Amino acid sequence: MPKTALLSLKGEKIKDIKLDDSVWKITPNDQVVYESIVLMRAALRQGSHSVKNRGEVAGGGRKPWRQKGTGNARQGSIRAPHFVGGGVVFGPNPNRNYTKKMNKKERRLALKSALTYKANDKDVIVVDKFETESLKTKDMLKTLEGLKATGKVLIVTTELTENLILATRNIGNVKLVLANELNTYDVLYCDKLIITEDAVKYVEEVLK
């Protein structure tokens, strides 16, 4: 099993802990990771885009000119697609569903692959607990600086306190999630993954 240091919020080493090989040290499956990212990105799409076809645009109740004798091609409506202000052909409509499906084994494999990449790059910071008495943003920034967590930071814990939520919500590069909300996209998107010891145990138990 790979070992990693268990730190306090001050950045001091408490002890070494072992991480489960079946979660943090597998052979990553890039294809499943890719499909998982596509699924999550597709799920974010609202699908509310819409255009009007020739039956929905206003106007065009009569022929623009008579059928014969003008020298022009015959036309039935000025709201045909080739006229300015006409309807759109084959445009998007709000009935389209962008959601994709993925079975549970693939989802777990994708998450384990993402966690393995983070562990291999030594971007995982395990802390004994993540609790703060202060709700000030500047105090949270000092805590992150002490943990050497730079760039985009993902904090994973098993319990959200009001102070923790208030202290992190105004930091644009920090995202706070519960252990049961951990997903492949967030893990790969962050530069540093800060996770509590309890959250590590929860994730390993779920993904084994």
Side-chain angles (χ1 to χ4, degrees):
M1 290 185 177
K3 287 185 178 181
T4 189
L6 179 66
L7 305 178
S8 67
L9 286 184
K10 295 181 180 179
E12 300 170 346
K13 182 178 177 180
I14 299 175
K15 62 179 180 179
D16 286 326
I17 62 171
K18 294 181 179 179
L19 301 177
D20 196 319
D21 285 348
S22 63
V23 175
W24 302 89
K25 199 175 181 181
I26 68 167
T27 301
N29 188 316
D30 291 340
Q31 180 61 33
V32 174
V33 171
Y34 168 77
E35 292 174 358
S36 177
I37 297 300
V38 170
L39 179 146
M40 295 201 65
R41 294 292 295 170
L44 294 175
R45 300 186 69 170
Q46 290 184 339
S48 57
H49 45 7
S50 180
V51 298
K52 292 182 178 181
N53 58 36
R54 64 180 295 169
E56 295 171 325
V57 292
R62 53 169 288 181
K63 287 171 68 67
W65 51 79
R66 66 179 188 268
Q67 183 82 348
K68 295 178 178 293
T70 63
N72 296 325
R74 57 191 176 188
Q75 302 294 336
S77 171
I78 60 171
R79 291 302 176 237
H82 55 279
F83 281 105
V84 174
V88 177
V89 182
F90 305 130
N93 62 72
N95 296 324
R96 183 168 179 179
N97 183 6
Y98 287 98
T99 58
K100 299 178 180 294
K101 293 183 179 180
M102 195 175 202
N103 66 47
K104 188 180 294 185
K105 287 185 178 180
E106 288 179 316
R107 290 173 185 265
R108 289 180 176 178
L109 178 57
L111 180 53
K112 288 193 289 186
S113 297
L115 292 173
T116 296
Y117 278 127
K118 286 299 174 188
N120 290 342
D121 294 338
K122 297 182 179 179
D123 289 330
V124 179
I125 302 172
V126 183
V127 294
D128 60 337
K129 57 184 178 180
F130 209 97
E131 298 175 354
T132 176
E133 296 180 357
S134 171
L135 50 75
K136 292 186 176 180
T137 301
K138 64 178 182 180
D139 293 333
M140 178 56 64
L141 290 173
K142 289 181 181 179
T143 299
L144 296 176
E145 184 179 351
L147 293 172
K148 298 181 180 179
T150 56
K152 302 182 189 71
V153 179
L154 177 65
I155 301 173
V156 185
T157 181
T158 55
E159 184 180 358
L160 297 181
T161 62
E162 184 178 2
N163 281 358
L164 185 56
I165 294 172
L166 294 175
T168 58
R169 68 177 180 177
N170 288 329
I171 307 177
N173 61 329
V174 172
K175 184 171 184 179
L176 178 66
V177 298
L178 287 169
N180 59 0
E181 298 173 345
L182 189 63
N183 61 78
T184 306
Y185 181 78
D186 285 341
V187 172
L188 292 178
Y189 184 73
C190 71
D191 296 312
K192 293 291 183 180
L193 171 64
I194 301 177
I195 184 169
T196 63
E197 186 177 14
D198 289 341
V200 169
K201 294 177 181 178
Y202 177 87
V203 171
E204 289 179 348
E205 183 178 352
V206 171
L207 296 180
K208 275 185 180 179

